[in-house]
Amino acid sequence: MRTLAFQMPDRGSGPSGPRTRVGRPSRRMRTGLLTLGVLAVLAMLFVMFSGFWTDWQWYRSVRYSSVFTTTLWTKVGLFFFFGVLMAAAIGVNVWLAHRLRPPLSAMSLEQQSLDRYRMSIAPYKKWVLIAVTALVGLIAGASASSQWRTWLQWVNGVPFGQKDPQFHEDISFYAFDLPWFRFLLSFGFACVVLCLIAAALTHYLYGGLRVTSPGSRATAAATGHLSVLLGIFVSLKAMAYWLDRYGLAVKSSGLKSAEGWTGLRYVDAHAYLPAKTILFFIAAICAVLFFATLWRRTWQLPVIGFGLMVLSAVLIGGLYPAIVQKFQVQPNEQAKEAPYIKENIKATRDAYGIDGSKVTGYKGDYKPKDKADNERLRGDADTTASMRLLDPNVVSPTFQQQQQVRGYYQFPATLDVDRYKDKDGKEQDTVIGLRELNIAGIPERNWINDHFKYTHGYGAVTAKGTGTVNGGEPDYTEKNLPAKGHLPKHEQRIYYGEKTTQYSIVGGPQQELDYSDDSGEKSYSYKGKSGVDLSNPVNRAAYAVAFGEPQILYSGAIGDGSRILYNRTPKERVESVAPWLTIDGDAYPAVVDGRIKWIVDAYTTSNGYPYSSRTTLGDSTADSLTDGQRAVVAQQNQVNYIRNSVKATVDAYDGSVKLYQWDKKDPVLKTWMKAFPGTVEPKSKISNQLMEHLRYPQDLFKVQRQLLTTYHVTDANTFYTGSERWQIPNDPTTKSATAVPPYYLSMKMPDQKNQTFSLTTTFTPNKRDNLGAFMAVDANAKSPDYGKIRILKLPSETTVPGPQQVQSKFNSDDTVAKTLNILKKGDSEIEYGNLLTVPLDGGLLYVEPVYLRGAGTNYPLLKKVLVSYGNKAAFEDSLGEALDVVFGKKAPNIGDGDEETSPPDQGSSTPPTDQSVQDALDDAQQAWEDSEKARRDGEWSAYGEAQKKLKSALDRAAAAEKKAEQKGGSSDKGGGDKGSGQGG
């Protein structure tokens, strides 16, 4: 009877009789179509192969093939295991449901309507089953393969050696184990739900389930089958309730005094935790009832149990915690939450490495002074800090104009700050930039020029951070092409850099342009070992496909020794060889061991540190200098644990990547080192020269300062009220309302005896502009205090001006405004440099360089220095003069447009006191234009004369204006635009 019921007539044969050949393609056409089909398949396979092959070749070229193979086999293993598991589970359940189908001796109307579907799939049911299970398996396998990081961390997890306060589990359980268990649960739920759907459809199609037919709605076999699946589902739900108990320790919830709060609160410990435990037992009992239907053959008890579980979830898991929160917590929330706030503070400070931050000032032992008339302070100002007047965020156009040399070179928009020794062997803060290749500046663009001839940049350019020469120009310590100066001898060619994004083919028959000088172009052929060899025809074909450039396959410019260089930015290379690291947004160059090397800070992160509050890296690291390229792009956008555990280097010539273990205690790094053995070298392998240039990373510092706006408070009650919250002030030198960036400079805090290379920032009280605190971290990697965070907290009763208020004070000062108006004569533009803050003998010293971008030029020159201490401010030509004025050693010199290192005005005579301001300004404008023309033409003697005339004219303008004011008259050029420059 079963055979008759499911037998389907053969509907594939047509009417009998002779076959017609009308419309049938010829044999030649069929052969051609078959050939095209085979070629299309082969082409698609080769495209897939080329992507795999080029990746493999690249990893071999950088000697990190183990990273490629480990990642690949982990993904493949997860793909096949979970894909096959999902496909097998669905296939077995469909097969079982079909095998348990009832005989259709007396078909109902419902079954008669389904008969046509059964008949249509009967000849193909095996293929349909295979196709459906294969498709679901592919989707499940692809989803599982994306969990390769979770799997590797679970398999290789290293204990933290610390336990959470609620469940007393090692932190590694939350960081490594819990994410994998949650993935298994989610996979199990998906598998069971799909099996339920597939089994129910099969039972319905073959009569095991009935919807409209009278009598029993399900056969005993269907009831037992589906009950087992439902029992498995409820069992998984019970396991989910149990894991949810531990999930409370890493759950984010709202607390008004802290964003991103994570961990248990009172209601979690006293309502949600017992509720989850009760629901676990209810779900376990409900699962047993479902399994019992194998013998009872009725769903009455399981349905009652399931309803009880749902009702319990609503009442116990939802309503009860709401009642506890409303009637127990809210009336006395501060006292109830205090123990949990304490645990959150402790965990957060530990997870972000700020637990050792030292705060000075809670007892009022640091009181800023408002008087600056102390001669001792003038001497201390010189020894407290080496004020970096050369702002790396402003002077890049000056480097570009004066040291670009050729249009096909470029400097980054933001230069870097490092430390180098001067000719006397004394270490000094130095601004450095590399002359990288600018593909857009190539005189004639074509494929050969873009990828064969113009292949690399050339030379590092450095300048003193603390002074300028020749009318405000950088005082270069390494310059020209080839570069010469104070740096030790090194390989100057730059094949790998932040701006080098195109591929190049080097080392073959086509010669490269090395550099050009007065004697003409110099040729060069790459001698390094980086890149992938293109002499192999398979490699050439694969790269031609991967890069969409067929000329790679047949170009005569490629031959023996040709190598293709790509993935050339430092960040890109480190991310590729260590995909488990999060990379700092600012790689910086250093001359180390005879090579230019990019230094890249890398972080290990986690989102599973119990009780530690979460932060979004992209938001925490954004400031007035970051853009899409500078902000951290994290693999896990939200984290609650971070360590600068790896220092990486990328050789600018051969692209070699080195990873060094910087944090020997970090369990996350140890876990990844177990997963990828041999990829990270020990800290002892760092050379002395490299150690001299390592520094505390900016992005980690920015994350820490964001957390410290709240977590500098360690008292739970004060933390709850939020009365001591700080905020990061906006950058006062820009018009955008974005955070002020941290600044590197050599300085000493009040408890330090000597200056050290530091990274600094300021805080203001929440929703106020006065200064709240100053923070610095020892950024010198060779210092025994490296990484030590020091915070000076100002007494709340004082109103020391913050950065925004200091800038506003500068902008509103009449003397400053008048001088700026004189400088801006002739459409020149004012640009403010970094506003540096330094603690000085119980007070705070502000220093800001002021740059002038003159009419007819496109680069800024340092012209003035603003200094403020206490209630006094100065606006002078040099830092020394401004400090003398602020500390009472010298009277202000208003109107002097020259700077610290300009030659004295020996040729000018005493200006007549009755000269009008406008006439003097006209003379100043003409002198300025003459000096700029002489600069562009390289006539330095004429430039010096023009500068003398400019100074004389400005002196006359100031004297005439002062005389007019004394007589009560009005100056031709008074008032001024107080919002000039970027500081408006």
Side-chain angles (χ1 to χ4, degrees):
M1 190 68 184
R2 178 176 294 175
T3 304
L4 292 175
F6 290 97
Q7 181 120 14
M8 182 174 176
D10 182 8
R11 302 178 185 270
S13 60
S16 60
R19 297 190 178 185
T20 177
R21 300 177 63 87
V22 176
R24 184 176 183 178
S26 65
R27 178 176 297 178
R28 178 178 297 177
M29 183 176 293
R30 293 200 305 272
T31 303
L33 292 174
L34 180 61
T35 302
L36 288 176
V38 171
L39 290 176
V41 171
L42 290 175
M44 287 188 293
L45 290 175
F46 189 78
V47 169
M48 297 172 61
F49 166 78
S50 65
F52 164 81
W53 185 251
T54 53
D55 286 346
W56 166 244
Q57 292 296 320
W58 186 86
Y59 275 95
R60 287 185 61 193
S61 72
V62 292
R63 296 175 177 82
Y64 281 89
S65 56
S66 63
V67 174
F68 180 81
T69 54
T70 300
T71 304
L72 176 65
W73 289 120
T74 302
K75 291 180 179 179
V76 170
L78 292 173
F79 177 86
F80 278 103
F81 179 82
F82 286 98
V84 170
L85 183 61
M86 178 70 79
I90 294 175
V92 167
N93 278 277
V94 171
W95 172 82
L96 185 61
H98 180 267
R99 186 175 180 82
L100 296 175
R101 67 191 185 279
L104 299 180
S105 55
M107 286 192 183
S108 64
L109 292 177
E110 181 180 8
Q111 289 301 313
Q112 290 177 12
S113 65
L114 292 173
D115 184 53
R116 63 178 180 271
Y117 297 110
R118 290 193 292 267
M119 294 175 66
S120 62
I121 67 171
Y124 314 108
K125 55 187 176 184
K126 289 184 179 179
W127 295 109
V128 170
L129 178 61
I130 292 173
V132 171
T133 54
L135 177 62
V136 175
L138 287 173
I139 297 173
S143 175
S145 67
S146 66
Q147 298 295 320
W148 65 271
R149 291 184 179 88
T150 308
W151 162 260
L152 288 176
Q153 285 187 308
W154 180 63
V155 171
N156 300 284
V158 172
F160 277 64
Q162 297 173 270
K163 295 184 178 181
D164 76 284
Q166 181 67 42
F167 302 102
H168 307 292
E169 294 282 348
D170 191 270
I171 292 173
S172 62
F173 171 80
Y174 300 94
F176 306 140
D177 299 343
L178 190 58
W180 179 249
F181 295 154
R182 282 177 165 170
F183 164 72
L184 292 179
L185 263 181
S186 64
F187 179 84
F189 277 122
C191 185
V192 172
V193 168
L194 290 175
C195 289
L196 268 170
I197 294 173
L201 287 175
T202 305
H203 280 298
Y204 177 69
L205 184 62
Y206 289 102
L209 293 177
R210 302 179 182 88
V211 177
T212 61
S213 301
S216 177
R217 299 295 184 186
T219 63
T223 300
H225 184 193
L226 297 180
S227 294
V228 170
L229 290 175
L230 287 171
I232 295 174
F233 178 86
V234 178
S235 298
L236 291 175
K237 188 62 180 174
M239 296 173 63
Y241 281 132
W242 189 257
L243 285 183
D244 284 346
R245 299 167 66 254
Y246 298 101
L248 294 172
V250 290
K251 176 180 69 73
S252 292
S253 58
L255 189 71
K256 63 182 181 180
S257 57
E259 299 178 1
W261 167 279
T262 301
L264 280 83
R265 297 171 58 187
Y266 182 91
V267 69
D268 296 315
H270 295 82
Y272 281 111
L273 183 56
K276 297 291 184 182
T277 305
I278 294 171
L279 289 172
F280 163 75
F281 288 108
I282 293 175
I285 294 171
C286 186
V288 172
L289 294 177
F290 272 107
F291 290 132
T293 57
L294 286 172
W295 297 275
R296 294 180 56 86
R297 302 294 183 180
T298 176
W299 277 349
Q300 184 175 4
L301 285 179
V303 169
I304 293 174
F306 188 78
L308 176 63
M309 186 181 74
V310 173
L311 182 62
S312 301
V314 173
L315 296 179
I316 302 176
L319 184 60
Y320 174 63
I323 293 173
V324 171
Q325 179 69 24
K326 179 70 175 178
F327 296 102
Q328 290 190 31
V329 178
Q330 287 187 4
N332 192 19
E333 187 174 38
Q334 182 171 339
K336 296 289 186 182
E337 300 290 9
Y340 306 97
I341 293 175
K342 184 178 180 181
E343 295 296 343
N344 174 266
I345 293 173
K346 181 179 181 298
T348 302
R349 288 172 62 88
D350 180 71
Y352 289 94
I354 57 177
D355 51 324
S357 58
K358 180 181 178 182
V359 179
T360 303
Y362 280 110
K363 298 179 181 179
D365 54 338
Y366 184 80
K367 295 183 179 180
K369 301 176 181 178
D370 57 2
K371 293 185 179 181
D373 53 353
N374 189 332
E375 291 189 6
R376 180 178 61 84
L377 291 178
R378 177 62 186 88
D380 291 345
D382 289 331
T383 59
T384 296
S386 298
M387 289 297 181
R388 181 176 40 73
L389 301 179
L390 203 65
D391 187 350
N393 313 305
V394 174
V395 300
S396 178
T398 308
F399 273 52
Q400 187 78 7
Q401 181 71 24
Q402 297 180 347
Q403 289 296 317
Q404 180 188 23
V405 183
R406 296 290 185 267
Y408 44 82
Y409 293 128
Q410 64 179 329
F411 290 93
T414 299
L415 304 177
D416 290 289
V417 178
D418 203 344
R419 297 137 293 159
Y420 288 92
K421 294 180 180 178
D422 59 17
K423 58 184 178 181
D424 297 325
K426 183 180 179 182
E427 190 175 89
Q428 63 182 9
D429 291 356
T430 302
V431 176
I432 182 172
L434 296 190
R435 191 184 288 109
E436 293 190 48
L437 181 65
N438 177 19
I439 196 74
I442 295 176
E444 184 174 347
R445 300 291 302 277
N446 56 60
W447 189 64
I448 293 295
N449 280 349
D450 286 359
H451 300 290
F452 290 83
K453 185 174 181 179
Y454 295 89
T455 59
H456 59 278
Y458 207 103
V461 176
T462 61
K464 291 181 180 179
T466 54
T468 58
V469 295
N470 296 335
E473 294 180 352
D475 186 0
Y476 295 109
T477 55
E478 186 86 4
K479 61 181 180 178
N480 299 333
L481 183 68
K484 296 179 180 179
H486 298 164
L487 296 182
K489 185 178 180 181
H490 60 279
E491 172 60 64
Q492 298 191 26
R493 297 174 182 88
I494 302 163
Y495 283 87
Y496 296 87
E498 290 181 302
K499 299 294 184 181
T500 312
T501 56
Q502 76 285 357
Y503 72 87
S504 291
I505 298 176
V506 298
Q510 178 68 43
Q511 289 290 298
E512 309 164 42
L513 170 68
D514 201 21
Y515 64 89
S516 298
D517 58 18
D518 295 337
S519 62
E521 294 185 353
K522 308 294 183 182
S523 297
Y524 182 73
S525 184
Y526 184 63
K527 302 297 190 300
K529 299 298 183 182
S530 66
V532 179
D533 185 14
L534 289 182
S535 59
N536 186 330
V538 175
N539 286 356
R540 292 180 67 169
Y543 279 99
V545 172
F547 288 176
E549 187 52 71
Q551 293 186 77
I552 294 177
L553 185 60
Y554 55 79
S555 174
I558 301 176
D560 291 339
S562 292
R563 309 180 71 85
I564 185 168
L565 313 180
Y566 62 105
N567 289 354
R568 299 169 71 180
T569 65
K571 183 177 181 181
E572 196 174 22
R573 295 181 78 78
V574 176
E575 280 181 334
S576 297
V577 304
W580 34 273
L581 291 175
T582 298
I583 310 303
D584 190 273
D586 183 29
Y588 60 98
V591 177
V592 175
D593 301 322
R595 308 295 281 262
I596 297 176
K597 292 187 178 182
W598 292 97
I599 299 176
V600 182
D601 286 288
Y603 310 109
T604 48
T605 61
S606 176
N607 197 24
Y609 197 101
Y611 281 89
S612 173
S613 292
R614 289 182 172 88
T615 187
T616 303
L617 290 180
D619 295 338
S620 299
T621 57
D623 58 35
S624 63
L625 299 179
T626 58
D627 51 28
Q629 297 177 342
R630 285 289 306 276
V632 165
V633 181
Q635 296 162 352
Q636 296 171 309
N637 195 30
Q638 279 201 328
V639 303
N640 65 355
Y641 173 92
I642 186 169
R643 288 289 187 273
N644 176 214
S645 53
V646 172
K647 299 285 188 180
T649 63
V650 177
D651 194 296
Y653 181 75
D654 63 20
S656 58
V657 181
K658 296 289 185 182
L659 306 176
Y660 298 101
Q661 181 184 13
W662 185 250
D663 189 336
K664 296 181 179 180
K665 298 180 180 179
D666 179 24
V668 180
L669 177 61
K670 291 180 180 179
T671 296
W672 287 120
M673 290 175 68
K674 282 182 63 179
F676 296 94
T679 56
V680 181
E681 298 187 23
K683 188 175 183 179
S684 59
K685 294 290 185 179
I686 300 177
S687 68
N688 289 331
Q689 284 194 28
L690 177 58
M691 186 69 76
E692 291 176 355
H693 295 280
L694 298 181
R695 68 189 191 189
Y696 201 80
Q698 292 186 68
D699 283 340
L700 176 61
F701 184 77
K702 286 188 280 189
V703 170
Q704 290 174 328
R705 74 170 179 177
Q706 181 65 50
L707 269 295
L708 281 168
T709 59
T710 303
Y711 286 92
H712 68 278
V713 176
T714 56
D715 177 72
N717 292 325
T718 306
F719 185 95
Y720 176 84
T721 62
S723 60
E724 292 293 328
R725 287 195 68 178
W726 298 336
Q727 64 185 14
I728 301 168
N730 291 334
D731 189 349
T733 66
T734 66
K735 295 181 180 179
S736 60
T738 49
V740 62
Y743 296 123
Y744 287 106
L745 75 157
S746 293
M747 57 157 289
K748 63 179 180 181
M749 293 288 276
D751 64 333
Q752 293 177 295
K753 295 182 179 180
N754 300 308
Q755 293 183 20
T756 186
F757 191 64
S758 304
L759 189 56
T760 67
T761 192
T762 54
F763 297 104
T764 58
N766 193 31
K767 298 181 180 179
R768 296 176 62 190
D769 288 332
N770 59 290
L771 196 66
F774 175 83
M775 170 180 165
V777 63
D778 192 330
N780 182 4
K782 299 189 74 173
S783 169
D785 285 342
Y786 171 82
K788 182 176 181 179
I789 297 174
R790 296 175 171 89
I791 303 173
L792 294 178
K793 179 182 178 295
L794 277 67
S796 56
E797 66 272 10
T798 63
T799 55
V800 177
Q804 193 68 51
Q805 292 175 326
V806 170
Q807 188 68 52
S808 297
K809 180 180 179 180
F810 285 153
N811 294 341
S812 60
D813 187 276
D814 287 340
T815 301
V816 172
K818 292 174 182 177
T819 307
L820 290 178
N821 279 327
I822 294 174
L823 291 174
K824 291 199 304 177
K825 175 65 177 173
D827 296 327
S828 297
E829 296 179 3
I830 296 296
E831 294 185 29
Y832 291 115
N834 37 220
L835 180 59
L836 303 176
T837 309
V838 174
L840 177 64
D841 288 352
L844 287 160
L845 178 68
Y846 288 95
V847 175
E848 182 178 49
V850 178
Y851 294 84
L852 180 68
R853 190 187 292 261
T857 65
N858 60 353
Y859 58 93
L861 298 173
L862 180 65
K863 286 298 175 184
K864 289 283 185 178
V865 180
L866 287 160
V867 172
S868 174
Y869 186 82
N871 58 2
K872 297 191 69 175
F875 185 53
E876 300 296 323
D877 299 333
S878 69
L879 175 62
E881 291 175 350
L883 291 173
D884 287 342
V885 171
V886 165
F887 295 116
K889 294 187 66 177
K890 178 183 175 182
N893 184 19
I894 307 301
D896 190 353
D898 199 12
E899 78 294 326
E900 177 180 6
T901 55
S902 296
D905 182 12
Q906 297 175 348
S908 60
S909 58
T910 304
T913 56
D914 58 350
Q915 171 121 21
S916 70
V917 175
Q918 189 58 52
D919 290 342
L921 290 177
D922 290 341
D923 292 343
Q925 173 65 26
Q926 184 61 49
W928 175 260
E929 293 174 357
D930 292 343
S931 68
E932 291 307 302
K933 183 178 183 302
R935 185 199 301 275
R936 292 193 295 271
D937 295 341
E939 299 291 341
W940 298 111
S941 59
Y943 171 80
E945 291 298 324
Q947 283 287 304
K948 292 179 182 179
K949 293 179 180 179
L950 174 62
K951 182 179 184 301
S952 175
L954 291 174
D955 285 341
R956 285 184 279 128
E961 186 173 27
K962 185 176 181 179
K963 180 178 179 181
E965 289 177 350
Q966 290 174 348
K967 291 181 178 180
S970 60
S971 172
D972 294 337
K973 203 66 178 171
D977 180 9
K978 297 178 182 179
S980 60
Q982 295 181 0

